[in-house]
Amino acid sequence: MTDASAETLEEQVLGAVEHRREIVNAAIDEDLPIDEPERLYEAVRYLLDAGGKRLRPTVLLLVAEALADVDANPGDVDYRDFPDVNGEDVDVMAAAVSIEVIQSFTLIHDDIMDDDDLRRGVPAVHREYDTGTAILAGDTLYSKAFEILIEGDAPADRVVESVDVLATTCTNICEGQARDIAFEGRDDVLPEEYLQMIEHKTAVLYGAAATIPAILLGADDETIEQLYQYGIDVGRAFQIQDDVLDLTVPSEKLGKQRGSDLVEGKQTIITLHAREQGVDVDGLVGTDDVDAVTEAEIEAAVGRLEEAGSIDYAKEKAQELVETGKNRLEVLPDNESKELLEGIADYLIERGY
Amino acid sequence: MTDASAETLEEQVLGAVEHRREIVNAAIDEDLPIDEPERLYEAVRYLLDAGGKRLRPTVLLLVAEALADVDANPGDVDYRDFPDVNGEDVDVMAAAVSIEVIQSFTLIHDDIMDDDDLRRGVPAVHREYDTGTAILAGDTLYSKAFEILIEGDAPADRVVESVDVLATTCTNICEGQARDIAFEGRDDVLPEEYLQMIEHKTAVLYGAAATIPAILLGADDETIEQLYQYGIDVGRAFQIQDDVLDLTVPSEKLGKQRGSDLVEGKQTIITLHAREQGVDVDGLVGTDDVDAVTEAEIEAAVGRLEEAGSIDYAKEKAQELVETGKNRLEVLPDNESKELLEGIADYLIERGY
């Protein structure tokens, strides 16, 4: 690895993510231009343009690089004409954009359902525009993701398999979101139920990001399967870390009210653990209105969860999942991109926001 | 045609639609069962189970029959193992279900955006459940449609082309809905803009229904294109007739408030024509609240539109489109299914509700 001595792995990971983010952003401009009707497409692009680390597309591109065993200097790689197992060109960037587009659609619709006002530090789409436009922007992103995915020029049987993965992923995300909402009214959610929920709500999109490049490039079935499971493992870890960050990161840095999950009564592995330890989770915060809660209330609630060991418990669970996920990468040749995929897994649970 | 002497064409068309509707309903049960989480899937199935003539899937099945030149007695046809141009089996029923599933998704989301209370004589999904569940039910139907379409076992290149048509169709529907909403705030909509809007909002799904079976069965490009245009023509005629029916059919029969388009300020070819004739369209009804309007107000408004010749003008436009659409069917062999496709085109503008 060039300059490996001078950089920590975390710095290398952040640099790799940053570099690929810019390339992905340029590709989003190409594959999802502001079209007519303009107001719709502005709403379609609004959240995508508000920020985001492009972690899922970066995972997708890194898997492609690792499989092709190319030098992972992104400036040298043409993701639009990327060599598959037979040396034929495949546009893996289209697939990367497609994954980010699906992510954006789910955030827009989730924010309507959860009535969240802020996302990425700016008003949610249904606040900046209106609910109807936000529904429609999400619906447009949804179909655009399929249009973009199939433009990737891979052999037709691989495209069909990728479409199947993407469609099943979307169905799972809906099922996970439905469970997440249903859990809010329950105080008897089992840990297995919670893990299944976050697998569907969050992890499957990481699974799709990791497995679709393998499918498009013609990898063998075992590789396709292990990469999917890598995505599931790190995706679950990512969601658990998100639950931790919601409680531990200041609101300004989080881009939304700290502790909002707790206020809204969302079940997380933290609240499940705390309840098992006898903590009165529902009584931790005296309001279910995110706008009415005080920092002091959140601070006290987080203190109780820390005392119960629930936040440490979540961190350990995330750590275990990351280790399992990294082991799945044995199917890949040893190269810098593989190291970065291991590094991203670590980064997902070490990130501060 | 069996018993041709005893039945009018309209009776034959209605019989053919009715017969295929039942087969399509059975296929919906197979391809979209009530899964876990149950409340989500009940919402997913709610509108599908509330009724609907299954016109689009019927068009799809009739095109398949016409192309294969099979005896159009549906009891004798196995749509799950349907012969393509090479005699290989393709599941065209999966595609038919897929089209109806997309139709259902768009109705559920449209009803939220338009804040409509009733659909098919029952509460809209966001009224029977809640807005979040309705958004999620629509999103689930969306991905299920793609999952179901690609299960059809056709050669991969044809599946990819079908997915492309379906995804583009969904994008167009969103664009059409966005225009429809934007038009509500304008009094200078041009007839061409209106026709483009209904092409996207409504006609493209008929286009997809007519062209996807041709793609899946391996028809030539000219046939694929003409069938698409048949769908566009009859789909536009269908929307114009819908606009006419909204004004002329009693609320009980319509399953929602008569004249609701007028109350909500929706632009239709009828209001565009009336405005050209100097009618003060915005002043026709004194409220924009569907619950507050009286039958007498609607009656008077419809009277003014009739005097201006606007309703007759719309009927003529629809008739022209149906004739053009029927001429597109010259690419099909002469058989009973082709006659039924002509008959359906006529039926779409002759139907009373």
Side-chain angles (χ1 to χ4, degrees):
Chain A
M1 215 184 263
T2 343
D3 297 330
S5 55
E7 287 183 299
T8 64
L9 181 63
E10 190 178 342
E11 284 167 342
Q12 285 170 35
V13 167
L14 289 177
V17 169
E18 167 89 0
H19 201 128
R20 283 163 190 78
R21 185 182 72 203
E22 287 177 19
I23 304 173
V24 169
N25 284 347
I28 291 171
D29 278 339
E30 288 165 18
D31 290 351
L32 195 66
I34 303 279
D35 220 325
E36 293 281 334
E38 210 170 298
R39 186 166 185 276
L40 172 65
Y41 279 95
E42 282 169 3
V44 159
R45 284 289 301 263
Y46 176 79
L47 182 60
L48 279 165
D49 292 345
K53 298 189 205 69
R54 316 301 188 216
L55 286 174
R56 296 160 194 79
T58 295
V59 165
L60 189 148
L61 298 177
L62 286 171
V63 167
E65 294 161 25
L67 282 168
D69 214 3
V70 297
D71 182 355
N73 183 346
D76 300 339
V77 180
D78 184 354
Y79 296 106
R80 297 284 191 190
D81 291 305
F82 197 88
D84 77 353
V85 288
N86 305 314
E88 301 289 327
D89 285 341
V90 169
D91 178 357
V92 290
M93 182 55 88
V97 170
S98 165
I99 292 287
E100 187 68 15
V101 164
I102 287 290
Q103 164 70 0
S104 189
F105 134 64
T106 64
L107 294 178
I108 293 171
H109 281 193
D110 281 5
D111 284 344
I112 305 172
M113 291 178 230
D114 297 341
D115 202 18
D116 282 332
D117 294 337
L118 286 177
R119 171 72 71 174
R120 291 176 178 162
V122 297
V125 176
H126 67 287
R127 291 273 170 255
E128 180 70 18
Y129 295 82
D130 54 75
T131 299
T133 304
I135 293 173
L136 214 43
D139 290 346
T140 307
L141 287 160
Y142 210 153
S143 49
K144 279 287 174 187
F146 285 94
E147 286 188 60
I148 293 166
L149 178 62
I150 64 180
E151 274 165 17
D153 237 9
D157 56 335
R158 299 184 203 158
V159 175
V160 172
E161 201 180 332
S162 306
V163 169
D164 197 7
V165 169
L166 193 67
T168 306
T169 296
C170 292
T171 301
N172 283 336
I173 291 172
C174 293
E175 292 169 351
Q177 171 72 359
R179 287 201 169 89
D180 196 14
I181 293 170
F183 285 178
E184 286 176 32
R186 286 176 51 191
D187 62 1
D188 60 348
V189 176
L190 300 172
E192 310 87 77
E193 288 182 289
Y194 169 80
L195 287 172
Q196 190 197 19
M197 184 274 282
I198 64 168
E199 175 172 332
H200 283 167
K201 188 181 158 86
T202 304
V204 289
L205 198 54
Y206 278 95
T211 204
I212 284 176
I215 294 167
L216 291 175
L217 296 176
D220 60 79
D221 288 348
E222 173 65 10
T223 303
I224 289 170
E225 173 62 19
Q226 289 301 323
L227 286 166
Y228 183 73
Q229 292 302 334
Y230 160 84
I232 296 293
D233 289 332
V234 304
R236 280 176 158 182
F238 174 84
Q239 181 61 52
I240 292 173
Q241 177 69 3
D242 242 26
D243 296 342
V244 170
L245 294 177
D246 184 75
L247 293 172
T248 55
V249 174
S251 304
E252 318 85 74
K253 209 171 169 191
L254 209 56
K256 58 174 187 174
Q257 174 62 51
R258 175 185 172 210
S260 61
D261 289 351
L262 208 56
V263 179
E264 288 165 1
K266 282 211 181 297
Q267 304 285 346
T268 68
I269 200 160
I270 301 163
T271 61
L272 292 180
H273 178 272
R275 196 168 274 124
E276 276 183 5
Q277 305 302 308
V279 176
D280 173 20
V281 171
D282 302 319
L284 278 176
V285 180
T287 174
D288 59 0
D289 180 359
V290 173
D291 297 325
V293 77
T294 65
E295 273 302 315
E297 274 182 293
I298 299 288
E299 195 60 41
V302 171
R304 283 288 296 119
L305 295 169
E306 268 168 355
E307 277 164 34
S310 304
I311 293 178
D312 282 342
Y313 173 79
K315 287 179 178 169
E316 278 159 34
K317 269 282 163 203
Q319 185 65 48
E320 277 171 36
L321 285 164
V322 161
E323 292 309 319
T324 316
K326 289 198 289 188
N327 288 334
R328 312 273 191 187
L329 298 177
E330 278 173 20
V331 292
L332 294 174
D334 288 321
N335 52 38
E336 190 179 333
S337 303
K338 178 183 172 179
E339 283 175 39
L340 287 167
L341 285 166
E342 292 167 343
I344 280 197
D346 288 325
Y347 166 73
L348 286 180
I349 58 166
E350 281 162 17
R351 71 201 158 101
Y353 66 103
Chain B
M1 214 184 265
T2 343
D3 296 330
S5 54
E7 287 183 300
T8 65
L9 181 61
E10 191 179 343
E11 284 166 341
Q12 284 169 35
V13 167
L14 289 177
V17 169
E18 166 92 359
H19 201 127
R20 282 162 190 80
R21 186 182 71 203
E22 287 178 21
I23 303 173
V24 169
N25 284 346
I28 291 172
D29 278 338
E30 288 165 17
D31 290 351
L32 194 67
I34 302 278
D35 220 323
E36 293 281 333
E38 210 171 300
R39 186 165 186 276
L40 172 64
Y41 279 95
E42 282 169 4
V44 159
R45 285 289 302 263
Y46 176 79
L47 182 60
L48 279 165
D49 292 345
K53 298 188 205 73
R54 315 301 187 217
L55 286 174
R56 296 159 194 80
T58 294
V59 165
L60 190 149
L61 297 177
L62 285 170
V63 167
E65 294 161 25
L67 283 167
D69 215 2
V70 296
D71 182 354
N73 184 345
D76 300 339
V77 179
D78 183 354
Y79 295 106
R80 296 284 191 191
D81 292 305
F82 197 87
D84 78 354
V85 287
N86 305 314
E88 301 290 327
D89 285 341
V90 170
D91 178 357
V92 291
M93 181 55 87
V97 170
S98 167
I99 291 289
E100 187 69 14
V101 164
I102 287 290
Q103 163 71 0
S104 189
F105 135 64
T106 64
L107 295 178
I108 293 172
H109 281 193
D110 280 7
D111 284 344
I112 304 172
M113 292 179 230
D114 298 341
D115 201 18
D116 282 333
D117 294 335
L118 285 178
R119 172 72 71 174
R120 291 178 178 162
V122 297
V125 176
H126 69 287
R127 290 272 170 258
E128 179 70 16
Y129 294 83
D130 54 75
T131 300
T133 304
I135 293 173
L136 214 44
D139 291 345
T140 307
L141 287 160
Y142 210 152
S143 50
K144 280 286 173 188
F146 286 93
E147 285 188 61
I148 293 166
L149 177 62
I150 64 179
E151 273 164 19
D153 237 9
D157 57 333
R158 299 184 203 158
V159 175
V160 172
E161 200 180 333
S162 306
V163 168
D164 198 8
V165 168
L166 193 66
T168 307
T169 296
C170 292
T171 301
N172 284 336
I173 291 171
C174 293
E175 292 169 351
Q177 172 72 359
R179 289 200 167 89
D180 196 13
I181 293 170
F183 286 177
E184 286 175 32
R186 287 176 50 190
D187 63 0
D188 60 348
V189 176
L190 300 171
E192 310 88 78
E193 289 183 288
Y194 169 79
L195 286 172
Q196 189 197 21
M197 184 274 284
I198 64 168
E199 175 172 332
H200 282 167
K201 190 182 154 87
T202 305
V204 288
L205 197 55
Y206 278 96
T211 203
I212 283 177
I215 294 167
L216 291 176
L217 296 176
D220 61 79
D221 288 348
E222 172 67 9
T223 302
I224 288 170
E225 173 61 22
Q226 289 300 323
L227 286 166
Y228 184 72
Q229 293 301 335
Y230 160 83
I232 296 294
D233 290 333
V234 304
R236 281 177 157 179
F238 173 83
Q239 181 61 53
I240 292 173
Q241 177 68 4
D242 242 24
D243 295 342
V244 170
L245 294 177
D246 184 75
L247 293 171
T248 54
V249 174
S251 303
E252 318 84 73
K253 210 172 169 192
L254 209 54
K256 58 175 186 175
Q257 174 62 50
R258 175 185 173 209
S260 61
D261 288 351
L262 209 57
V263 178
E264 289 165 1
K266 282 213 179 295
Q267 305 284 346
T268 67
I269 201 159
I270 301 162
T271 60
L272 292 180
H273 179 271
R275 196 168 274 125
E276 276 182 5
Q277 305 303 308
V279 177
D280 172 20
V281 171
D282 302 318
L284 279 176
V285 179
T287 174
D288 59 1
D289 180 358
V290 173
D291 296 326
V293 75
T294 64
E295 273 302 315
E297 274 183 293
I298 298 288
E299 195 61 41
V302 172
R304 283 289 295 119
L305 295 169
E306 268 168 354
E307 276 165 36
S310 305
I311 294 178
D312 282 344
Y313 172 79
K315 287 180 178 168
E316 278 160 33
K317 270 282 163 202
Q319 184 66 48
E320 278 170 37
L321 285 164
V322 161
E323 291 310 320
T324 315
K326 289 198 290 188
N327 288 335
R328 313 273 191 186
L329 298 177
E330 277 174 20
V331 292
L332 293 175
D334 288 322
N335 52 38
E336 189 179 333
S337 303
K338 178 183 173 179
E339 285 176 38
L340 287 168
L341 285 166
E342 293 167 344
I344 279 197
D346 289 325
Y347 165 74
L348 286 180
I349 57 167
E350 281 162 17
R351 72 201 157 100
Y353 66 103

Coordinates of all heavy atoms in Angstrom, one line a residue, chain B residues 208-252:
Chain B
A208 N -47.2 -0.5 -21.4 CA -46.4 -1.6 -20.9 C -47.2 -2.9 -20.9 O -46.7 -3.9 -21.3 CB -46.1 -1.2 -19.4
A209 N -48.5 -2.8 -20.6 CA -49.3 -4.0 -20.6 C -49.4 -4.7 -22.0 O -49.4 -5.9 -22.1 CB -50.7 -3.7 -20.1
A210 N -49.4 -3.8 -23.0 CA -49.6 -4.3 -24.4 C -48.2 -4.8 -25.0 O -48.2 -5.7 -25.8 CB -50.2 -3.3 -25.3
T211 N -47.1 -4.2 -24.5 CA -45.9 -4.4 -25.2 C -45.0 -5.5 -24.5 O -44.3 -6.2 -25.1 CB -45.0 -3.1 -25.4 OG1 -44.1 -3.3 -26.4 CG2 -44.3 -2.7 -24.1
I212 N -45.2 -5.6 -23.1 CA -44.4 -6.6 -22.4 C -44.6 -8.0 -22.8 O -43.6 -8.7 -23.0 CB -44.5 -6.3 -20.9 CG1 -43.7 -5.1 -20.4 CG2 -44.1 -7.6 -20.1 CD1 -43.8 -4.7 -19.0
P213 N -45.8 -8.4 -23.1 CA -46.0 -9.8 -23.6 C -45.3 -10.0 -24.9 O -44.7 -11.1 -25.1 CB -47.5 -10.0 -23.7 CG -48.1 -8.6 -23.7 CD -47.1 -7.8 -22.9
A214 N -45.3 -9.0 -25.8 CA -44.6 -9.1 -27.1 C -43.1 -9.3 -26.9 O -42.5 -10.1 -27.5 CB -44.9 -7.9 -27.9
I215 N -42.6 -8.5 -25.9 CA -41.1 -8.6 -25.6 C -40.8 -10.0 -25.1 O -39.9 -10.7 -25.5 CB -40.7 -7.5 -24.6 CG1 -40.8 -6.1 -25.2 CG2 -39.3 -7.8 -24.1 CD1 -40.7 -5.0 -24.2
L216 N -41.6 -10.4 -24.1 CA -41.3 -11.7 -23.4 C -41.5 -12.9 -24.3 O -40.8 -13.9 -24.2 CB -42.3 -11.9 -22.2 CG -42.0 -11.0 -21.0 CD1 -43.1 -11.2 -19.9 CD2 -40.6 -11.2 -20.4
L217 N -42.4 -12.8 -25.3 CA -42.6 -13.9 -26.2 C -41.7 -13.9 -27.4 O -41.7 -14.8 -28.3 CB -44.1 -14.0 -26.6 CG -45.0 -14.2 -25.5 CD1 -46.5 -14.2 -26.0 CD2 -44.8 -15.6 -24.8
G218 N -40.8 -12.8 -27.5 CA -39.9 -12.8 -28.6 C -40.4 -12.2 -29.9 O -39.9 -12.5 -31.0
A219 N -41.4 -11.3 -29.9 CA -41.9 -10.7 -31.1 C -40.9 -9.8 -31.7 O -39.9 -9.4 -31.0 CB -43.2 -10.0 -30.8
D220 N -41.1 -9.4 -33.0 CA -40.1 -8.5 -33.7 C -40.3 -7.1 -33.2 O -41.4 -6.7 -32.6 CB -40.3 -8.6 -35.2 CG -41.7 -8.2 -35.6 OD1 -42.0 -7.0 -35.7 OD2 -42.5 -9.1 -35.8
D221 N -39.3 -6.2 -33.5 CA -39.3 -4.8 -32.9 C -40.6 -4.0 -33.4 O -41.1 -3.2 -32.6 CB -38.1 -4.1 -33.4 CG -36.8 -4.6 -32.6 OD1 -37.0 -5.4 -31.6 OD2 -35.7 -4.3 -33.0
E222 N -41.0 -4.2 -34.6 CA -42.1 -3.4 -35.1 C -43.4 -3.8 -34.4 O -44.2 -2.9 -34.0 CB -42.3 -3.7 -36.6 CG -43.5 -3.1 -37.3 CD -43.6 -1.6 -37.3 OE1 -42.5 -1.0 -37.0 OE2 -44.6 -1.0 -37.6
T223 N -43.6 -5.1 -34.1 CA -44.7 -5.5 -33.4 C -44.7 -5.0 -31.9 O -45.7 -4.5 -31.4 CB -44.7 -7.1 -33.3 OG1 -44.8 -7.6 -34.6 CG2 -46.0 -7.6 -32.6
I224 N -43.5 -5.0 -31.3 CA -43.3 -4.5 -30.0 C -43.7 -3.0 -29.9 O -44.4 -2.6 -29.0 CB -41.9 -4.8 -29.5 CG1 -41.6 -6.3 -29.2 CG2 -41.5 -3.9 -28.3 CD1 -40.2 -6.6 -29.0
E225 N -43.3 -2.3 -30.9 CA -43.5 -0.8 -30.9 C -45.0 -0.5 -31.2 O -45.6 0.3 -30.5 CB -42.6 -0.2 -32.0 CG -42.9 1.3 -32.3 CD -42.6 2.2 -31.1 OE1 -41.9 1.7 -30.2 OE2 -43.2 3.3 -31.1
Q226 N -45.6 -1.2 -32.2 CA -47.0 -0.9 -32.5 C -47.9 -1.3 -31.3 O -48.9 -0.6 -31.0 CB -47.4 -1.7 -33.7 CG -46.8 -1.1 -35.0 CD -47.2 0.3 -35.3 OE1 -48.3 0.8 -35.0 NE2 -46.2 1.1 -35.8
L227 N -47.6 -2.3 -30.6 CA -48.4 -2.7 -29.5 C -48.3 -1.7 -28.4 O -49.3 -1.4 -27.7 CB -48.0 -4.1 -29.0 CG -48.5 -5.2 -29.9 CD1 -47.9 -6.6 -29.6 CD2 -50.1 -5.4 -29.8
Y228 N -47.0 -1.2 -28.2 CA -46.9 -0.1 -27.2 C -47.7 1.1 -27.5 O -48.5 1.6 -26.7 CB -45.4 0.3 -27.1 CG -45.1 1.3 -26.0 CD1 -45.1 0.9 -24.7 CD2 -44.9 2.7 -26.3 CE1 -44.9 1.9 -23.7 CE2 -44.7 3.6 -25.3 CZ -44.7 3.2 -24.0 OH -44.5 4.1 -23.0
Q229 N -47.7 1.5 -28.8 CA -48.5 2.6 -29.2 C -50.0 2.4 -29.1 O -50.8 3.3 -28.8 CB -48.2 3.0 -30.7 CG -46.7 3.6 -30.8 CD -46.5 4.8 -29.9 OE1 -47.4 5.5 -29.5 NE2 -45.2 5.0 -29.5
Y230 N -50.4 1.1 -29.4 CA -51.9 0.8 -29.1 C -52.2 1.1 -27.7 O -53.2 1.7 -27.4 CB -52.1 -0.7 -29.4 CG -53.3 -1.4 -28.8 CD1 -54.6 -1.2 -29.4 CD2 -53.2 -2.1 -27.6 CE1 -55.7 -1.8 -28.8 CE2 -54.3 -2.6 -27.0 CZ -55.6 -2.5 -27.6 OH -56.7 -3.0 -27.0
G231 N -51.3 0.6 -26.8 CA -51.6 0.9 -25.3 C -51.6 2.4 -25.0 O -52.5 2.8 -24.2
I232 N -50.7 3.1 -25.6 CA -50.7 4.6 -25.4 C -52.0 5.2 -25.9 O -52.7 6.0 -25.1 CB -49.5 5.2 -26.1 CG1 -48.2 4.7 -25.5 CG2 -49.6 6.8 -26.0 CD1 -47.9 5.1 -24.1
D233 N -52.5 4.8 -27.1 CA -53.7 5.4 -27.6 C -54.9 5.1 -26.8 O -55.7 6.0 -26.4 CB -53.9 4.9 -29.1 CG -52.8 5.5 -30.0 OD1 -52.3 6.6 -29.7 OD2 -52.6 4.9 -31.0
V234 N -55.1 3.8 -26.5 CA -56.3 3.4 -25.7 C -56.2 3.9 -24.3 O -57.2 4.2 -23.7 CB -56.6 1.9 -25.8 CG1 -56.7 1.4 -27.2 CG2 -55.6 1.1 -25.0
G235 N -54.9 4.0 -23.8 CA -54.8 4.5 -22.4 C -55.1 6.0 -22.3 O -55.8 6.4 -21.3
R236 N -54.8 6.7 -23.3 CA -55.2 8.1 -23.3 C -56.7 8.2 -23.4 O -57.4 9.0 -22.7 CB -54.6 8.9 -24.5 CG -53.2 9.3 -24.3 CD -52.7 9.9 -25.6 NE -51.5 10.8 -25.5 CZ -50.9 11.4 -26.4 NH1 -51.4 11.3 -27.7 NH2 -49.9 12.2 -26.2
A237 N -57.3 7.4 -24.3 CA -58.7 7.4 -24.4 C -59.4 7.0 -23.1 O -60.4 7.6 -22.7 CB -59.2 6.4 -25.5
F238 N -58.8 6.1 -22.4 CA -59.3 5.6 -21.1 C -59.3 6.8 -20.1 O -60.3 7.0 -19.4 CB -58.5 4.5 -20.6 CG -58.8 4.0 -19.2 CD1 -59.8 3.1 -19.0 CD2 -58.0 4.5 -18.1 CE1 -60.0 2.7 -17.7 CE2 -58.3 4.1 -16.8 CZ -59.3 3.2 -16.6
Q239 N -58.2 7.6 -20.1 CA -58.2 8.7 -19.1 C -59.2 9.7 -19.5 O -59.8 10.3 -18.6 CB -56.8 9.3 -19.1 CG -56.6 10.4 -18.1 CD -56.8 10.0 -16.7 OE1 -56.2 9.0 -16.2 NE2 -57.7 10.7 -16.0
I240 N -59.3 10.0 -20.8 CA -60.3 11.0 -21.2 C -61.7 10.6 -20.7 O -62.5 11.3 -20.2 CB -60.2 11.3 -22.7 CG1 -58.9 12.0 -23.0 CG2 -61.4 12.1 -23.2 CD1 -58.6 12.2 -24.4
Q241 N -62.0 9.3 -21.0 CA -63.3 8.7 -20.6 C -63.5 8.8 -19.1 O -64.6 9.1 -18.6 CB -63.4 7.3 -21.1 CG -64.7 6.6 -20.6 CD -66.0 7.1 -21.4 OE1 -65.9 8.0 -22.2 NE2 -67.1 6.6 -21.0
D242 N -62.4 8.6 -18.3 CA -62.4 8.7 -16.9 C -62.8 10.1 -16.5 O -63.6 10.3 -15.5 CB -61.1 8.4 -16.3 CG -61.1 7.2 -15.3 OD1 -62.0 6.3 -15.5 OD2 -60.2 7.1 -14.5
D243 N -62.3 11.1 -17.2 CA -62.6 12.5 -16.9 C -64.1 12.8 -17.2 O -64.7 13.5 -16.5 CB -61.7 13.4 -17.7 CG -60.2 13.3 -17.4 OD1 -59.9 12.8 -16.3 OD2 -59.4 13.7 -18.2
V244 N -64.6 12.1 -18.3 CA -66.0 12.3 -18.6 C -66.9 11.7 -17.5 O -67.8 12.3 -17.0 CB -66.3 11.7 -20.0 CG1 -67.8 11.6 -20.2 CG2 -65.6 12.4 -21.1
L245 N -66.5 10.4 -17.1 CA -67.3 9.7 -16.1 C -67.3 10.4 -14.8 O -68.3 10.4 -14.1 CB -66.7 8.3 -15.9 CG -66.8 7.4 -17.1 CD1 -66.2 6.0 -16.8 CD2 -68.3 7.2 -17.6
D246 N -66.2 11.1 -14.4 CA -66.1 11.8 -13.1 C -67.2 12.8 -13.1 O -67.7 13.2 -12.0 CB -64.8 12.4 -13.0 CG -64.6 13.1 -11.6 OD1 -64.4 12.4 -10.6 OD2 -64.7 14.4 -11.6
L247 N -67.7 13.3 -14.2 CA -68.7 14.4 -14.3 C -70.1 13.8 -14.5 O -71.1 14.4 -14.1 CB -68.4 15.4 -15.4 CG -67.2 16.2 -15.2 CD1 -66.9 17.0 -16.5 CD2 -67.3 17.1 -14.0
T248 N -70.2 12.6 -15.1 CA -71.5 12.2 -15.6 C -72.1 11.0 -14.8 O -73.3 10.7 -15.0 CB -71.4 11.8 -17.1 OG1 -70.4 10.9 -17.3 CG2 -71.1 13.1 -17.9
V249 N -71.3 10.3 -14.0 CA -71.8 9.1 -13.3 C -72.2 9.5 -11.9 O -71.4 10.1 -11.2 CB -70.8 8.0 -13.4 CG1 -71.2 6.8 -12.5 CG2 -70.5 7.6 -14.8
P250 N -73.3 9.0 -11.4 CA -73.7 9.2 -10.0 C -72.6 8.7 -9.0 O -72.0 7.7 -9.3 CB -75.0 8.5 -9.8 CG -75.5 8.2 -11.1 CD -74.3 8.1 -12.1
S251 N -72.5 9.5 -7.9 CA -71.4 9.1 -6.9 C -71.5 7.7 -6.4 O -70.4 7.0 -6.3 CB -71.6 10.1 -5.7 OG -71.5 11.4 -6.1
E252 N -72.7 7.1 -6.2 CA -72.8 5.8 -5.7 C -72.1 4.8 -6.6 O -71.4 3.9 -6.2 CB -74.2 5.3 -5.5 CG -75.2 6.3 -4.9 CD -75.7 7.3 -5.9 OE1 -76.6 6.9 -6.8 OE2 -75.2 8.4 -5.9

